[in-house]
Amino acid sequence: MDLKQAGSSLDSLISSFNTRIAELQELVIARNMYPASSVTDLSAIDAALKGMELQVQAIKDQLREETEAIPKAKKLIAASLRQQKKLQSMSVYAPSYVPERRTSNLDADRGLVPESSRQQQRQQSNLGSSKLEEPAALPKEKKGRGSPPLWYITAGELDSLASYMRGRLTLEKVNAAINDMATYAEANAQLVAAPKKKLAENLWERALELRDIATTEAIKGKHFFLETDIKGPSLKLDNTGKAILTVLRHLGRISETRIGHHSFEASMNCLNS
């Protein structure tokens, strides 16, 4: 190695030492610049960074939970849409307005005879006063007669009718009339089944008449009502009511039977189930 190369290497080494010394001096100056507050500031920054890390982690956890819930939400939406379609298809077969079902109460509406009156009647019977003898009760059916059917019509059935038959009838009017018919039939069924002791005298002849009708071959085992029962509130014997009866007979909801052996010719309308 010649002297020139040795001198160059020595100069490079000295320069390296000088650079390192300068860096150490800068570090010393930076360390001693704010000795009282530097540690506190760094601690505060560290605490703030840790807090931000916790918030970021919480956001990540929330996003992960919401991402996992998306398939469940999609299934729930699909189930809700299927249920909505079912309800819409069911609503086609139900009227938009259904009047409150009125049931006949024999105790209040049909004039239940008080206990004292029944005792007086029994006493008069013992004294030999002539009374109509109560006929034998109608044979009971195996499981008893259920409530009258409420077989509402659908919008499709109403639309299928000829325009001259449908006229100005609406689905609500026809189905409200079906409610009234069921009420008439249920009231008649209660009178037919009620024993004499639970009926007022002014209803007994009516009950006998209905029992005679109920035992005829054409009516036996069916719910029925007379034209004289049609007194509203929705079904009346006006032009609209007669049109409703015609439509319901055409659609098979009721059938008409005429019985002429009574004091009046009664038009019997049987509710088909």
Side-chain angles (χ1 to χ4, degrees):
M1 179 182 296
D2 57 8
L3 295 175
K4 189 175 182 179
Q5 290 179 349
S8 177
S9 298
L10 182 59
D11 290 339
S12 176
L13 181 61
I14 292 172
S15 177
S16 177
F17 274 114
N18 289 333
T19 302
R20 183 62 176 164
I21 290 170
E23 291 177 354
L24 291 174
Q25 287 176 346
E26 291 176 358
L27 290 174
V28 171
I29 292 172
R31 187 188 65 180
N32 296 329
M33 188 177 293
Y34 299 102
S37 61
S38 60
V39 176
T40 305
D41 292 341
L42 291 174
S43 299
I45 293 173
D46 183 64
L49 288 173
K50 289 182 178 179
M52 292 176 66
E53 289 177 353
L54 292 175
Q55 292 179 1
V56 170
Q57 185 61 39
I59 293 172
K60 288 181 178 180
D61 294 339
Q62 184 68 26
L63 288 174
R64 185 177 63 255
E65 292 177 359
E66 292 181 358
T67 302
E68 293 174 352
I70 288 175
K72 297 180 180 179
K74 288 182 178 179
K75 292 180 180 179
L76 181 60
I77 291 173
S80 299
L81 291 175
R82 289 194 299 269
Q83 184 68 17
Q84 182 181 8
K85 290 181 180 179
K86 290 181 180 179
L87 293 176
Q88 287 175 347
S89 62
M90 292 171 61
S91 65
V92 175
Y93 298 94
S96 59
Y97 169 72
V98 178
E100 183 179 357
R101 177 76 177 273
R102 297 179 296 110
T103 57
S104 176
N105 188 339
L106 288 177
D107 291 346
D109 300 336
R110 293 296 187 180
L112 177 65
V113 179
E115 182 65 27
S116 58
S117 299
R118 290 202 298 271
Q119 291 178 356
Q120 292 177 0
Q121 291 175 1
R122 286 197 294 268
Q123 291 173 359
Q124 291 175 0
S125 178
N126 292 334
L127 292 175
S129 60
S130 60
K131 294 283 184 178
L132 289 174
E133 294 184 0
E134 181 178 356
L138 293 175
K140 295 183 179 180
E141 299 180 8
K142 292 182 179 180
K143 293 185 179 180
R145 184 176 300 172
S147 299
L150 288 172
W151 190 9
Y152 297 117
I153 71 169
T154 65
E157 288 178 312
L158 187 61
D159 293 338
S160 68
L161 298 173
S163 58
Y164 74 89
M165 182 179 295
R166 184 173 64 249
R168 295 184 179 180
L169 296 180
T170 63
L171 189 66
E172 290 75 14
K173 287 181 180 179
V174 178
N175 285 332
I178 291 177
N179 273 326
D180 284 356
M181 294 177 188
T183 301
Y184 307 151
E186 187 171 358
N188 289 338
Q190 289 188 15
L191 280 176
V192 169
K196 180 180 178 180
K197 61 183 180 180
K198 289 189 176 181
L199 293 174
E201 288 189 17
N202 61 335
L203 293 176
W204 180 237
E205 291 186 3
R206 165 76 170 175
L208 291 177
E209 181 180 59
L210 292 176
R211 288 188 179 187
D212 289 339
I213 295 172
T215 55
T216 60
E217 193 64 29
I219 307 298
K220 189 174 182 180
K222 297 181 180 180
H223 293 280
F224 66 91
F225 63 93
L226 307 177
E227 282 188 353
T228 54
D229 295 328
I230 301 175
K231 298 178 181 179
S234 299
L235 180 62
K236 299 178 181 179
L237 280 179
D238 52 12
N239 291 334
T240 300
K242 293 177 181 179
I244 290 174
L245 291 174
T246 300
V247 166
L248 293 177
R249 289 168 187 150
H250 177 77
L251 293 175
R253 296 305 196 269
I254 61 174
S255 58
E256 183 181 27
T257 303
R258 292 194 172 272
I259 299 179
H261 61 271
H262 294 284
S263 58
F264 60 91
E265 185 177 29
S267 176
M268 307 304 304
N269 295 279
C270 300
L271 299 177
N272 297 326
S273 55

